[in-house]
Amino acid sequence: MTPVLYLVIPCYNEEQVLPLTSGKFKSKLDELAEAGKISGESRVMFVNDGSKDSTWDILSSLCDEDPRYCAISLSRNRGHQNALIAGLMEAKEHADITISMDCDGQDDINAIGQMVDEYAKGNEIVFGVRNDRSTDTWFKRTTAQSYYKFLKGMGVDIIPDHADYRLMSSRVLDALEGYGEVNLFLRGIIPQLGFKQSVVYYSRAEREAGTTHYPLSKMASLAIDGVTSFSVRPLRMITLLGLLVAFLSFVGIIYVLVSVFTGYYVDGWASTTCIICFVSGIQMISLGVIGEYVGKIYLETKHRPRYIVSERLNIPEK
Ligand code: UDP
Ligand code: MG
């Protein structure tokens, strides 16, 4: 039996992009259905992440035009990762497989066919991995590469150059449902789920219109989430740093005692001040790192919902 595929596409203020890309998603589904690779019940599912522009109006008219489009709307902007999980959880009730992708045309739609082929071979998770970073700025390329190295050093297992373009089966999504964390970093969780996994390479295009919603500040906070949601190694490093500073102080004390007993006069207010500044700096940083984790515990213990779906269009009956 051919699988029902849902493309899950989060959209936030994408009025400029949607008229250019929405038709391409649908044509791709038609092409794959005609080739007998997916079922005719397959759909393009948009998730409106609390957009403030006319995105929802555009999505509503698409849904009116064609039942192969469906959409849900979140009650307010919850961010890319939450919009994705909202769409995936909605889609898994109707689909055998889902593919999550950006709505701006950056994720090459021609990789969809290859992903479906990989699924047919028995893979339940297929990661879309970029085969080059030439469309990125020098800054984004360098920071991304250093970040992957840093994550590896912290013991976090993620797939380099893979963002959120991936295929997952409904069985995988059932497993993902059990991960109730509010600090969501999907590209860290999904490799951990297990199941049979494979990779499809694609070249990432430029955005067709509009601008990115990931400015430096959001990228930095996603990067911090990536570390603190998956590794406690920074906490251990603080302990090691504490031990190192304690050891150095111990050596310092012995030096002072020896100086006093040998009658050597020590003036040194400057060195004392330097040491106080250095140690209090380290303490501040350490408190900050611990605070990151405490903050996360605080958010997790409240068990608040990650998103609220306020509207649904063309979602089939179960
Ligand atoms: N997005 C979202 N909610 C947000 C920010 C972004 O749903 O708060 C969507 C956005 O519409 C796009 C995808 O997430 O489909 C990726 O965002 P973007 O293309 O701006 O990021 P980039 O590709 O530049 O990293
Ligand atoms: Mg994009």
Side-chain angles (χ1 to χ4, degrees), residues 14 80 102-107 140 204-208 211-214:
E14 299 285 12
H80 178 206
D102 280 14
C103 70
D104 53 16
Q106 287 194 282
D107 296 330
K140 193 151 183 172
R204 192 160 165 94
E206 304 265 8
R207 214 172 211 284
E208 292 206 12
T211 49
T212 176
H213 301 97
Y214 272 100

Side-chain angles (χ1 to χ4, degrees), residues 3 9 16 56 63 86 110 146 153 187 242 253 303:
I9 304 173
Q16 293 182 43
W56 184 242
C63 290
N110 295 314
S146 333
R187 60 193 89 156
I253 289 168
H303 296 298

Side-chain angles (χ1 to χ4, degrees), residues 22 48 52 158 209 222 231 259 284:
S22 51
N48 173 38
K52 292 172 187 73
I158 68 163
L222 189 71
S231 170
S259 312
M284 289 293 195

